Amino acid sequence: MTISAVLFDWDGTLVTNDPGAIGVAASAVEAYARKHLGVEVAGGDFARAFQAVLPPSVPGETETCPTIGRVIGEAFTWLGWPSGTNDVEACARLFFDQGTRYQEVYDDARALLGSLKYRGYRVAVVSNAIFPGHFFRPKLNELGLAGYIDSFVSSADVGLSKPNPAPYRRALADIRAEPHEAIFVGDSPATDIAGARNAGMRAVLLQRNTPVRDRSGFLVINRLTALNEVLGEGTVF
């Protein structure tokens, strides 16, 4: 079957994860609150509120997705901080910018994306994130990926998280590809692989460092550039 489009997960697949991102982002919001809201803030206040109002999520089971604006608004209410719509929007953007500032593109991701672009594949990202997809556009420019990615869909854009097929379908529509014309590459069997299958797509599991015990039903690669071998010159999978 000819493949003309490749969809990817974001965190852990194309870019590195930063385990300290929430702490850095929360500190930035606290600094904003001191300066613009006139409140007394103890270190860690916003981080605790953020975690308190963030809905619990079980990968592969939870499909509802909150948005960063709603979570920040509820955290402000939880803390009793006065704020308006503009403050919530400003802090949502600030939280994103600071929380992603240390993300880096994997070397194999940059190499593969360049190869896919050269060969004419349509490329999209489907990410489970509380941030809307348009937040990522400046980030793509910053990371030098804007020219390689045709669409970035976040679960926050559709209100549903992987493995629900909705974000995949939005991305496929954006790049004008049918499920049978595309494959999805991600690092989570419970969300990425299951979601791609729910959307009628074939899937490839990326496992850089963790051995995979059950490989039935999907291909497993240990580096993204191995996808070139899968696609081949004739883009047949």
Side-chain angles (χ1 to χ4, degrees):
M1 182 68 69
T2 300
I3 297 298
S4 59
V6 184
L7 284 68
F8 294 94
D9 174 49
W10 182 243
D11 293 293
T13 299
L14 295 181
V15 299
T16 58
N17 283 313
D18 180 3
I22 290 181
V24 171
S27 295
V29 173
E30 290 174 354
Y32 179 98
R34 292 188 189 97
K35 182 177 181 179
H36 298 284
L37 304 183
V39 296
E40 294 185 7
V41 182
D45 278 354
F46 184 78
R48 285 190 289 274
F50 185 87
Q51 295 293 350
V53 302
L54 190 68
S57 178
V58 178
E61 297 181 16
T62 305
E63 294 189 356
T64 55
C65 178
T67 61
I68 183 62
R70 176 186 139 196
V71 174
I72 285 182
E74 290 180 357
F76 281 6
T77 300
W78 192 87
L79 289 163
W81 291 357
S83 63
T85 300
N86 290 340
D87 293 311
V88 171
E89 291 179 354
C91 287
R93 177 66 72 170
L94 182 63
F95 195 96
F96 173 82
D97 289 343
Q98 294 302 309
T100 61
R101 65 183 298 185
Y102 296 114
Q103 282 185 336
E104 296 181 350
V105 182
Y106 286 109
D107 290 340
D108 60 348
R110 196 177 295 280
L112 174 62
L113 290 171
S115 174
L116 294 176
K117 180 68 173 181
Y118 177 77
R119 290 185 286 164
Y121 286 94
R122 287 163 284 172
V123 175
V125 171
V126 180
S127 175
N128 271 357
I130 62 176
F131 307 107
H134 67 84
F135 271 31
F136 290 88
R137 291 171 191 161
K139 190 67 182 178
L140 293 178
N141 281 319
E142 177 189 329
L143 295 173
L145 299 182
Y148 302 129
I149 295 174
D150 302 304
S151 173
F152 195 116
V153 175
S154 161
S155 52
D157 294 329
V158 298
L160 294 166
S161 300
K162 298 178 286 185
N164 189 285
Y168 297 87
R169 290 171 178 162
R170 170 74 68 85
L172 288 169
D174 285 350
I175 61 175
R176 298 181 181 180
E178 296 296 329
H180 68 270
E181 298 174 319
I183 59 174
F184 187 85
V185 184
D187 65 332
S188 168
T191 57
D192 296 325
I193 303 303
R197 286 173 161 178
N198 289 341
M201 299 170 60
R202 283 157 291 181
V204 176
L205 178 67
L206 173 67
Q207 293 282 273
R208 287 193 173 89
N209 302 311
T210 305
V212 179
R213 295 180 180 177
D214 181 11
R215 300 178 180 226
S216 61
F218 55 85
L219 180 67
V220 180
I221 57 176
N222 58 19
R223 66 189 190 286
L224 282 174
T225 47
L227 197 64
N228 283 321
E229 302 167 18
V230 175
L231 294 170
E233 294 183 0
T235 64
V236 176
F237 179 66

